[in-house]
Amino acid sequence: MAFIHIPPAVLPPECEELREEVRAFLSKEMPHHRQKKEAAFSFFDPAFSRKLGERGWLGMTWPKQYGGHERSFLERYVVLEELLAVDAPIAAHWVADRQSGDQLIRFGTEEMRTTIVPGIARGEVYFCVGMSEPDAGSDLAGIRSRAERVPEGWRLNGTKIWNSAHHAHYMIALVRTQPAGDSRHAGLSQLLIDLTTPGITIRPILNLRGYVNFNEVHFNDVILPADCLLGKEGAGWKQVSTELGFERSGPERYLSSIELLMQMLNSASPDNERQAVALGRLVCEARTLRRMSIGLTAMFVRREDPGVISAMVKDMGTTFEQRIPEMAAELFDVELGDPASPLAQLAAITIQNAPSFSLRGGSREVLRGMIAKGMGLR
Amino acid sequence: MSNDQQLISDSINRLFEKEVNRNVLESFEKGQHPESLWQLIEEGGYHRVLDVESGATWSDVQPILRAIGYYRVPLPLAETLLANWIASRAGLSECDGPATIIDGGTLEARAQAGTFLLSGTANRVPWGRQAQRFVILCKIDGRWIACTVGAGNKGIASIVPGANVASEPRDTIRFDQCRCDEHAHVDLLDEDPVRTYGALVRAVAMTGAAESVLAQALQHANVRIQFGRPIGKFQAIQHMLAEVATDVAAALAAVSGACDAAGGRNAWIEVATAKVMAGGAAIRAARVTHQVHGAMGFTHEHMLHYGTRRIWSWRNEYGSDASWAGLVGAASIRRGGSAFWPDVTEQVARLQWQRNPIEQET
Ligand SMILES: Cc1cc2nc3c(=O)[nH]c(=O)nc-3n(C[C@H](O)[C@H](O)[C@H](O)COP(=O)(O)OP(=O)(O)OC[C@H]3O[C@@H](n4cnc5c(N)ncnc54)[C@H](O)[C@@H]3O)c2cc1C
């Protein structure tokens, strides 16, 4: 069963040098005194994003002609994991750097590449993902947003939901441009949407903790230019699959609760066997996930098809992230949220965010279906 | 995989695929030692690949250890590799035939006339009755001494046969003033080498066994028809198997990390990780693959149990998951949260982990 063997990968020395640079940068630039209120990785700080851009740590793998830095995916991996491990404020540029820029370079017009992509690499231009709709979540091919050709270009109607439009300049949206026909995957296209276009309403949605986390975005007869089409008309499904590949495979898929794990290591006693055994298991899992995640990245570098591995790493990683706050509640005799205990405070935030881990980027059940299919079931 | 590994992997898989069949396994269960299979292993030189002279690394022999689990090889090949590895590192003479390794911790070693006399009982020695040579690792004056005792040594007072759940020999051996054939100092960077490297070989073999029962279940799910369709079409079955495959993929990643670290400083942390991950993956693989096979998989006739019974045995040999996890946990807690990320990202060789606090202070 070759498909479950992840070829081992070791980070080359240049990655370790880069790691030291990132750590030195973070020890200086990391805003230490911000009050921890938000979920990991959701702090929006454009100034910080611009600093990363100045260091050349955004758009790292993109061609220089589009503002990129032509570095390897492994080097990019090291920068990401170092940022995530300290919960740096990366929310502003995150989506644009992780997936949207790559979509523009891969499928966009030359104009998009030269006018927009460099702004992403500078940490100034932000994107959101327009896939989900109120009636189309896991069953993404069931989307109803519809764009028709008109003399000015495209007229778009519909609703996208759960995206981070409140922080974004652009959305890449999956919309229907032709009726479904035989296959529901046909007739879908990706559009690049400037969110300042008239006819767009962005309605914030509070998450369960009462913070603005995502939005519902309405498109009411929105007129878009003809050249907003990303890639080929009708090729939207294939393009989205490529995009989801990027969205599913990074270290953020296992590191969302890592700060709480560190806090637990600080609060536990080595002589408490219950704590030692449970935390030891989590540490073993973290070490293994990192190894898998680096192996997966190296497969991307070698342009190998990772097959079911991306889905596996995300499924296992998100389960790991969800177990950490549950273990915190189990191993420590504290009431979640107790202001007297930093552990209890962090655990309170983490446990309330944990339900989203196995939904965003494709739900656990959807991933398991993909794995099963990849193994020849079905 | 490197070329060396690929070569070893291909040839060992070819050998076992052909030779370890139902017949061999059934006869073994009835007490018949597969002598001719051992001959083939020796002809291929597989029992001595880890010897220092061969230049192979633990990563190179990983495919052999995995194949032992995948094909359920009913022979002490892992133990022989390990025993010969230690003996060759100590510079002791080469020896053909099956060998096994004993932790001398429960024995008394008395120096006499340039050699050691061993007395006491070693429990649950793997394949004790088959071994031509015992490699016994004793800590004497703070140094590891590898002692060898041949099967014919008169100091072996008794070998009482025992077995694990998979019918593999786990014997009780009593030594009485047993004069070592040879002994030498061996430079091992581990606090508890028999347990650590025993755990490593079992962890790797477990990934092989888990992979094989998973392959059997996938195959079964595609052919067993109920309610008018292959049961593999049912989402409940698909998700159970997807989860197991993910566990096994993780275990494979962990054991390859452990093999890379083996022999070096602080290998134990990687071995512990491997044993915990492989043990968890294998036990869930056993549970789920039995469920998928239905009643047929619960019969002696079906081959599934040759894999699952090994899993149930190996999981607790050389330390349970919890005992290894506890070591990792206690060490991690002592290091504290701020050391966690630097430690995880540190190259193993540079790690300054210590297994227990006493050593950390020195
Ligand atoms: C924090 C957060 C951020 C997000 N960000 C974005 C974003 O930026 N852009 C964007 O487009 N979307 C975003 N999403 C949406 C996300 O992609 C969806 O939540 C996800 O695809 C699941 O869709 P759903 O929520 O509609 O659930 P549903 O599809 O309704 O699923 C509900 C439950 O049913 C299960 N289910 C569904 N179908 C099957 C099936 N065939 N078999 C078995 N079980 C099934 C699911 O696994 C799930 O458990 C975000 C979500 C969250 C929580």
Side-chain angles (χ1 to χ4, degrees), chain B residues 264-346:
Chain B
R265 181 169 296 286
N266 291 310
W268 75 270
I269 171 85
E270 297 292 337
V271 171
T273 300
K275 189 73 165 39
V276 170
M277 298 306 291
I283 203 78
R284 289 189 291 273
R287 186 208 305 144
V288 165
T289 57
H290 269 294
Q291 186 68 13
V292 168
H293 276 87
M296 183 57 82
F298 191 61
T299 62
H300 195 72
E301 189 191 345
H302 198 282
M303 298 274 281
L304 185 64
H305 67 82
Y306 292 117
T308 54
R309 285 162 61 220
R310 280 174 172 74
I311 287 170
W312 293 321
S313 302
W314 293 345
R315 188 187 182 206
N316 273 57
E317 293 179 355
Y318 300 109
S320 68
D321 299 1
S323 72
W324 281 110
L327 280 182
V328 174
S332 302
I333 294 165
R334 254 180 255 119
R335 299 273 297 155
S338 58
F340 168 79
W341 187 249
D343 284 347
V344 168
T345 52
E346 188 88 343

Side-chain angles (χ1 to χ4, degrees), chain A residues 244-354:
Chain A
L244 283 169
F246 285 100
E247 187 173 339
R248 285 182 180 148
S249 54
E252 72 274 23
R253 296 309 183 193
Y254 83 99
L255 288 173
S256 308
S257 308
I258 214 72
E259 195 179 348
L260 178 56
L261 177 57
M262 299 181 201
Q263 185 72 256
M264 285 157 81
L265 291 174
N266 281 336
S267 307
S269 153
D271 303 322
N272 180 324
E273 202 172 321
R274 190 165 46 101
Q275 292 175 338
V277 170
L279 291 174
R281 280 184 199 278
L282 292 174
V283 170
C284 290
E285 279 180 48
R287 299 179 75 89
T288 304
L289 276 161
R290 178 165 184 270
R291 202 175 158 85
M292 297 169 84
S293 179
I294 291 173
L296 175 63
T297 306
M299 291 174 97
F300 278 115
V301 174
R302 294 190 301 267
R303 294 182 194 288
E304 289 168 22
D305 176 10
V308 296
I309 301 289
S310 306
M312 285 179 164
V313 178
K314 178 170 186 278
D315 183 18
M316 181 176 158
T318 53
T319 303
F320 166 74
E321 295 175 328
Q322 287 178 333
R323 276 182 44 234
I324 290 174
E326 292 171 3
M327 291 309 295
E330 189 173 312
L331 294 175
F332 298 88
D333 208 357
V334 291
E335 293 181 17
L336 297 190
D338 183 347
S341 154
L343 174 92
Q345 284 177 286
L346 188 56
I349 296 171
T350 313
I351 205 155
Q352 293 178 81
N353 282 301

